[in-house]
Amino acid sequence: MQLFVKDLTVIDFSYLCPVRGMVGESWIVDVLLDGGLDEQNMVLDFGKVKRIIKNTIDDVADHRLLIPTACSEVRWQQKGDRVWMDFSSDKGDIHLACPSQAFALIPSEVIDYESVNDFLKKALREVLPENVQGISLTLRSEVLDTPFYHYSHGLRKHDGNCQRIAHGHRSPVTVFENGIAEPKWDQYWAERWHDIYLGTEEDLVSVKTLELSKQTKISDETHYGFHYVAPQGDFQLAMPKHCCDLIPHDTTVEMLAEYMAKTLASKEPKSHFKVIAYEGIGKGAIAVRG
């Protein structure tokens, strides 16, 4: 007998890519269970599917930075609950020092649907009841016919997992200028924030003050340093400058929508703008300017 749940959850995360650097992503998760019936004549109660499977997936991958540990460009070490991560990519070197829960260590050369699928299924086998004999996951991106961008960020003031300094989203945006949808502005943001790290100016520090791995050799000329202490611990990150856009406030979706509207209003002061900005899939904020 098989049991399925479409759109079980969405994983919002970032990952390291040898070509693109740090990439923000949002994937939808569908699940298919194969097994015998339990004493309730069910493979697994839908309430338990959502509680056990969704919670497990959220716990091991959501709002984390996924690291392909078999990639030759990755160097990492862990002492206690702290992890130091160094990564080389075509976009430049990336360095982090964070609590272990900021990362998901994927034993693969690349982060893709297959490697993450295997990682998640291994975690799920440890929590599912014995009558569930097989599990199949489908990971997929939202189908979009409008421009979108991939961004990573961290929210120092957030009391949940958004405080992790390198997690991200794949997000569309829709801009109306004087009440009319204006795709050129959608495309402007899609290009400006392509594979970007959105750094809050308040978190900006000299890279010389960061406690990164000993082999790290970078300068303030090439990298921005970000550092803050949040409820989950001490988060430090060094990113190539050309991969960052510095934002003068927090990078919540509410503030990003306002930032986009304000930026466009400064470009076209005689126009009225409405920005519909998404944070991943199916959620976001609306800001109006002008």
Side-chain angles (χ1 to χ4, degrees):
M1 181 65 68
Q2 293 183 318
L3 185 76
F4 67 89
V5 179
K6 297 288 187 179
D7 303 319
L8 175 65
T9 190
V10 173
I11 315 173
D12 289 305
F13 64 97
S14 291
Y15 69 94
L16 295 180
C17 172
V19 176
R20 297 169 63 184
M22 183 184 291
V23 184
E25 190 59 272
S26 300
W27 288 349
I28 302 166
V29 182
D30 304 322
V31 62
L32 177 68
L33 302 178
D34 198 333
L37 302 181
D38 61 15
E39 65 278 1
Q40 302 179 76
N41 291 318
M42 299 177 177
V43 176
L44 188 63
D45 182 88
F46 281 119
K48 292 183 178 179
V49 170
K50 293 182 178 179
R51 185 170 68 251
I52 297 175
I53 298 180
K54 180 183 183 305
N55 288 354
T56 299
I57 291 174
D58 290 349
D59 185 54
V60 301
D62 191 51
H63 284 73
R64 292 178 181 247
L65 178 63
L66 275 55
I67 310 295
T69 57
C71 175
S72 60
E73 304 303 325
V74 171
R75 299 180 302 278
W76 66 279
Q77 57 181 318
Q78 182 170 356
K79 292 183 180 179
D81 187 47
R82 193 158 186 78
V83 172
W84 287 261
M85 185 72 57
D86 303 299
F87 185 75
S88 298
S89 77
D90 292 350
K91 295 292 185 68
D93 293 345
I94 299 170
H95 308 275
L96 300 105
C98 301
S100 60
Q101 68 253 43
F103 305 102
L105 305 178
I106 311 295
S108 174
E109 293 184 358
V110 296
I111 300 298
D112 55 14
Y113 290 136
E114 182 179 359
S115 61
V116 177
N117 199 321
D118 290 343
F119 174 79
L120 294 177
K121 286 195 293 186
K122 181 179 180 180
L124 289 170
R125 291 190 190 102
E126 298 178 1
V127 297
L128 290 173
E130 292 183 359
N131 67 294
V132 178
Q133 300 163 357
I135 180 167
S136 176
L137 300 176
T138 299
L139 307 177
R140 54 188 172 89
S141 298
E142 181 183 25
V143 177
L144 296 171
D145 57 6
T146 56
F148 58 88
Y149 46 82
H150 298 258
Y151 74 98
S152 301
H153 69 152
L155 300 175
R156 173 210 295 253
K157 301 171 186 175
H158 195 267
D159 58 5
N161 293 335
C162 290
Q163 68 189 260
R164 295 167 181 169
I165 201 168
H167 74 277
H169 313 271
R170 173 183 182 262
S171 302
V173 60
T174 303
V175 177
F176 292 84
E177 183 177 3
N178 299 322
I180 300 173
E182 189 49 84
K184 74 174 184 180
W185 295 123
D186 304 349
Q187 189 62 37
Y188 167 80
W189 290 107
E191 293 176 1
R192 177 170 171 174
W193 285 353
H194 174 71
D195 295 347
I196 200 75
Y197 185 83
L198 299 180
T200 301
E201 289 183 358
E202 181 183 3
D203 303 329
L204 193 64
V205 299
S206 169
V207 297
K208 298 175 182 179
T209 69
L210 298 177
E211 298 175 345
L212 303 173
S213 60
K214 294 181 179 179
Q215 63 264 32
T216 302
K217 295 181 180 180
I218 55 175
S219 73
D220 289 323
E221 293 184 359
T222 60
H223 284 68
Y224 286 127
F226 302 96
H227 182 200
Y228 56 77
V229 177
Q232 291 186 6
D234 183 292
F235 294 88
Q236 302 186 35
L237 166 67
M239 284 289 294
K241 285 187 172 182
H242 63 89
C243 297
C244 300
D245 199 351
L246 297 181
I247 309 298
H249 45 63
D250 290 339
T251 55
T252 63
V253 69
E254 295 91 341
M255 297 301 290
L256 290 178
E258 175 67 17
Y259 179 81
M260 286 188 271
K262 183 178 180 180
T263 299
L264 294 176
S266 68
K267 290 179 176 291
E268 300 289 345
K270 295 182 179 180
S271 289
H272 175 274
F273 288 95
K274 177 181 178 180
V275 175
I276 304 174
Y278 286 80
E279 183 184 73
I281 299 171
K283 61 186 188 299
I286 300 172
V288 175
R289 274 275 179 163

